[in-house]
Amino acid sequence: MLRTPDAWLLCGVGSVVIGGGNMLSTNFGQIVQACGASEAFVPTVVTLFSTGNLLGRLVATIVSDRVLAFRGRPRPWIAAGIAALMGSAQLVLLLAGLCAAGSVGQAALLALGSVCAGIAFGSMWPHLVVLASELFGSSHLAANYLFFDGGCGAVGTLLLANLLPTFFYSRAATDDDDEGGSGAGSGPDLTNRTCAGSSSTCLGAQCFLPTHSIIAGLCLLAVVASAVIARRSAGLYRQIKRNADLIARAAVGAREGATSAVVGGGGASGVLVPGATEGSKPTLSLQYGATSAAAMTQPLLLGAVAHAPPPPPLSKPPLSAPPSPAPPSAYAGVRSATSASFSPRHSREPSLDWHAIPEVD
């Protein structure tokens, strides 16, 4: 897998999307504070991001199945859509920092950006599993997915969620400290960045504007990379669609066409007859050559409905008096296996087997 360019392109796409989502989830408090919004709005944006994350994990694969895979279209196109959604969320949050502090429009943009980023972040995880299986096979799926899961999470979190925002945020705060913490303007002025005393708190759009811009640009590159993967794997997904159609037609033919199958085991055999009973469902009639438990529990082929006649009743022997015991001479020289194992012929210890047949000389 690592020798193919698709693996590294997919790893890059996952790193950008996952890194962008982790950057927001770990810095929402500073983002809301830098925008000038109320700190009471932080739990709201975190909740919206988590809700979008949940929805993305639950419904994203359903959408890609019905819109792309079931129609023979390459599934990597959904990765392009996910990357585009993450980039759009970064731009929306960037615009929220440029709005007037505490305005209704700013709150709406923060909420919208949080939901979109959460959906994109949650949608990427299940698609890494599906794409790893479809593009590189399922024989090494566990190792392949762990590469994407660990590699994308580590690279994206380290570079985009840790180093990148820390660098620009600290530099903006340091610049404010050098300027004496002045700048009491109002509105979306990019130079309105103040710090509380000598702390490293940064206020203003400039605190996260470079971070949002860089991640949005990387998301655009991720869209291009996803498109490249989709073009390269178009033939693969057409073949997957043809195979699925063949399996579906075979299943329909088994249910509706004239199909016969012989089921044998333990002396029983059956013939699958279409439309005998139960409307158009095929039925399986069994003909018993001999009574056998294995024949009665023989699994049915092709999901047929069994209407097997009951096996013939076993004939019971006539009631009679119990047989008389054999004469003692019949047991001469006979010793049971249990008695022989616990009480040998010449052993002086008493026998421990109460059900052993005693030897009669």
Side-chain angles (χ1 to χ4, degrees):
M1 182 190 73
L2 297 181
R3 298 178 181 178
T4 63
D6 295 344
W8 297 103
L9 290 175
L10 182 60
C11 184
V13 174
S15 299
V16 171
V17 175
I18 293 173
N22 284 331
M23 190 280 293
L24 296 177
S25 64
T26 55
N27 294 283
F28 264 130
Q30 289 80 3
I31 291 174
V32 173
Q33 185 182 30
C35 291
S38 174
E39 294 184 359
F41 197 62
V42 174
T44 302
V45 295
V46 172
T47 302
L48 292 175
F49 179 86
S50 301
T51 304
N53 183 13
L54 173 65
L55 293 176
R57 292 173 185 264
L58 290 179
V59 304
T61 52
I62 300 176
V63 174
S64 64
D65 282 342
R66 296 186 178 276
V67 177
L68 298 175
F70 288 173
R71 301 183 181 183
R73 300 169 183 171
R75 195 188 294 270
W77 285 117
I78 195 67
I82 293 172
L85 184 61
M86 177 59 73
S88 301
Q90 298 289 337
L91 294 178
V92 169
L93 294 174
L94 186 151
L95 293 177
L98 299 177
C99 292
S103 63
V104 178
Q106 184 186 61
L109 290 177
L110 286 173
L112 178 61
S114 302
V115 172
C116 293
I119 293 175
F121 179 73
S123 301
M124 195 67 219
W125 292 104
H127 278 97
L128 287 177
V129 183
V130 179
L131 291 173
S133 175
E134 292 177 345
L135 296 177
F136 311 109
S138 58
S139 58
H140 302 285
L141 177 59
N144 293 343
Y145 172 67
L146 287 178
F147 170 76
F148 292 114
D149 180 52
C152 297
V155 174
T157 302
L158 178 63
L159 297 181
L160 301 183
N162 190 355
L163 298 179
L164 183 66
T166 301
F167 173 76
F168 288 106
Y169 188 90
S170 301
R171 191 176 72 170
T174 303
D175 292 343
D176 281 334
D177 287 337
D178 295 340
E179 294 173 3
S182 61
S186 61
D189 186 5
L190 297 182
T191 62
N192 181 21
R193 293 173 281 109
T194 61
C195 297
S198 59
S199 65
S200 59
T201 302
C202 179
L203 298 177
Q206 189 65 25
C207 301
F208 286 94
L209 188 146
T211 302
H212 290 314
S213 302
I214 292 175
I215 295 179
L218 292 176
C219 288
L220 179 59
L221 295 179
V223 172
V224 176
S226 301
V228 172
I229 300 174
R231 294 294 298 272
R232 289 172 54 89
S233 60
L236 171 65
Y237 283 92
R238 285 194 295 267
Q239 183 63 39
I240 293 175
K241 179 63 168 57
R242 286 194 293 268
N243 293 342
D245 292 341
L246 290 176
I247 295 174
R249 285 196 294 269
V252 171
R255 289 194 302 265
E256 299 178 356
T259 308
S260 62
V262 176
V263 182
S269 61
V271 179
L272 190 63
V273 183
T277 56
E278 296 292 336
S280 61
K281 295 182 180 179
T283 59
L284 183 66
S285 59
L286 293 178
Q287 298 177 354
Y288 289 91
T291 302
S292 172
M296 297 175 65
T297 59
Q298 180 70 32
L300 305 180
L301 296 180
L302 303 176
V305 180
H307 296 275
L314 299 176
S315 58
K316 297 181 180 180
L319 296 178
S320 59
S324 58
S329 59
Y331 297 99
V334 177
R335 182 182 296 273
S336 66
T338 307
S339 175
S341 60
F342 285 94
S343 57
R345 179 184 295 271
H346 302 290
S347 174
R348 296 182 180 180
E349 298 179 0
S351 173
L352 300 179
D353 186 5
W354 295 94
H355 301 285
I357 300 176
E359 180 181 1
V360 180
D361 294 332

